[in-house]
Amino acid sequence: MEFKGRDIISIRDFSREEIDYILEIAKSMEPLASKGSDMLKGKILATLFFEPSTRTRLSFEAAMYKLGGAAIGFAEAEIASVKKGENLADTVRVVENYADVIAIRHPLEGAARLAAEFAEVPIINGGSGAEEHPTQALLDLYTIMKEKGKIDGLKIAFVGDLRYGRTVHSLAYALSYYDVELHLVSPESLKMRREVLEAIKEKIPVKEETSLEKVVPISDVLYVTRIQKERFPDPAEYMKVKGSYKITLETLSKAKKDSIVLHPLPRVDEIASEVDQTPHARYFKQVWNGIVTRMALLALILGAVK
Ligand code: CP
């Protein structure tokens, strides 16, 4: 297994063995995330975020600092020279002179792949339109492993916007490497993208549903997503599905006692705040897991961990 110098564009760039290894390294980063390390001293991460982000950008930057490195970058295209007409290819060819690794978020599908074609340094996809969010999938798997002690054998339900939600695309591909049963709960108009569905159905049992009530009692993991208002071509279509599902105390009264609720965040109204205090809620723990998973990825890609 060789990670040094690799791009992370799609979760499908990794095998199951490689994913399991990344999760192991993430676990070994837990003490370093608290006490710090100089493993990446002298290394620089550039974060080029052309779309809003709180968790992905800040956790990548925090992960770099915790390993002794540094981070530079921009959080909106308005303040970068793309505003003057500079294209993505030129932007990464310039930034690679300043940084050892680049994490990029872009509204266009394929943007991270394009950046990787032009850059000599590794490119990490921090979210490419509605397509993929591979590092989110890795931290989601790490969270499931940490909270449930395993991934194989679980019944996992995705709830919400499965068409435009990029996190569920990457996570579905990743889970298809494992022995899981996947339940996809969404409104008709927000069903899982066909190419993802076809790929995962070849490997694991998948059931599409519109009723949340049916899947709550059998699920070990409820992975809830926000309806991605910003990706709807027609606002009227968004209004039709807005608030389709809401996880409340009443919903969870029918859940398995040890089931967990995850969410990549940000949430809007799909999980009631009253759920935060229940033992099911693990979405804020997911945030911490984003740090250790991204520490592992940076250490592996920059060759500090073999
Ligand atoms: N989960 C996630 O990608 O969050 P941000 O949009 O805040 O980065």
Side-chain angles (χ1 to χ4, degrees):
M1 265 185 280
E2 180 63 55
F3 289 94
K4 190 175 176 189
R6 273 175 73 170
D7 300 310
I8 304 175
I9 306 301
S10 166
I11 195 72
R12 289 181 293 170
D13 296 340
F14 295 119
S15 64
R16 166 157 179 178
E17 290 65 35
E18 287 173 329
I19 290 176
D20 286 340
Y21 187 63
I22 293 166
L23 303 189
E24 248 179 68
I25 300 300
K27 190 172 178 199
S28 75
M29 290 290 164
E30 294 269 1
L32 302 188
S34 302
K35 69 175 197 254
S37 159
D38 61 1
M39 199 181 272
L40 294 181
K41 192 164 188 284
K43 300 289 184 191
I44 295 177
L45 162 75
T47 52
L48 312 185
F49 275 52
F50 297 87
E51 265 195 346
S53 168
T54 297
R55 282 142 290 268
T56 309
R57 186 175 63 83
L58 295 182
S59 65
F60 261 119
E61 294 179 2
M64 199 63 187
Y65 284 115
K66 282 174 181 288
L67 291 175
I72 58 172
F74 55 79
E76 50 175 329
E78 285 294 302
I79 59 156
S81 284
V82 287
K83 179 79 178 161
K84 299 181 221 163
E86 188 166 46
N87 64 32
L88 184 61
D90 284 0
T91 304
V92 296
R93 278 187 292 204
V94 168
V95 173
E96 68 180 356
N97 290 275
Y98 313 139
D100 302 282
V101 54
I102 298 172
I104 183 166
R105 170 172 287 188
H106 201 283
L108 291 181
E109 299 188 8
R113 181 80 63 198
L114 177 89
E117 278 169 24
F118 285 94
E120 296 293 324
V121 301
I123 296 287
I124 303 175
N125 180 4
S128 47
E131 182 188 32
E132 276 220 49
H133 194 348
T135 66
Q136 177 72 43
L138 290 167
L139 81 86
D140 294 337
L141 291 179
Y142 182 72
T143 305
I144 294 170
M145 185 64 101
K146 197 166 149 185
E147 298 295 329
K148 301 297 296 177
K150 62 178 186 179
I151 298 172
D152 287 319
L154 296 179
K155 289 186 171 63
I156 298 174
F158 290 176
V159 181
D161 183 351
L162 311 187
R163 175 178 298 276
Y164 298 118
R166 57 192 168 204
T167 70
V168 282
H169 301 153
S170 293
L171 186 56
Y173 286 131
L175 286 171
S176 72
Y177 291 140
Y178 295 83
D179 176 20
V180 298
E181 195 177 293
L182 199 53
H183 294 262
L184 304 176
V185 185
S186 71
E188 274 298 322
S189 63
L190 297 179
K191 284 168 86 169
M192 180 61 87
R193 277 161 82 128
R194 183 185 290 208
E195 79 258 24
V196 180
L197 193 60
E198 283 175 2
I200 63 173
K201 267 187 156 171
E202 285 177 9
K203 297 181 176 166
I204 53 169
V206 181
K207 210 157 176 222
E208 292 187 282
E209 319 266 6
T210 50
S211 159
L212 179 60
E213 286 66 36
K214 254 168 89 178
V215 304
V216 165
I218 59 161
S219 299
D220 300 297
V221 179
L222 281 169
Y223 188 95
V224 185
T225 64
R226 176 177 66 91
I227 296 190
Q228 311 273 307
K229 182 181 181 186
E230 67 278 19
R231 307 228 184 268
F232 280 71
D234 178 356
E237 289 304 309
Y238 169 73
M239 292 312 291
K240 283 186 200 160
V241 290
K242 181 178 181 287
S244 294
Y245 302 102
K246 185 159 185 167
I247 307 291
T248 61
L249 291 182
E250 166 65 20
T251 319
L252 292 176
S253 67
K254 318 259 181 1
K256 286 185 180 181
K257 277 208 160 27
D258 62 350
S259 69
I260 60 171
V261 177
L262 303 182
H263 192 308
L265 303 179
R267 72 171 149 180
V268 182
D269 56 4
E270 56 280 357
I271 301 178
S273 57
E274 63 197 21
V275 173
D276 299 359
Q277 313 311 326
T278 71
H280 299 284
R282 305 297 161 92
Y283 27 93
F284 289 112
K285 291 192 172 181
Q286 250 172 300
V287 176
W288 169 261
N289 296 335
I291 292 269
V292 292
T293 306
R294 291 180 173 123
M295 286 170 73
L297 289 171
L298 290 168
L300 286 163
I301 281 171
L302 292 171
V305 170
K306 291 268 181 289

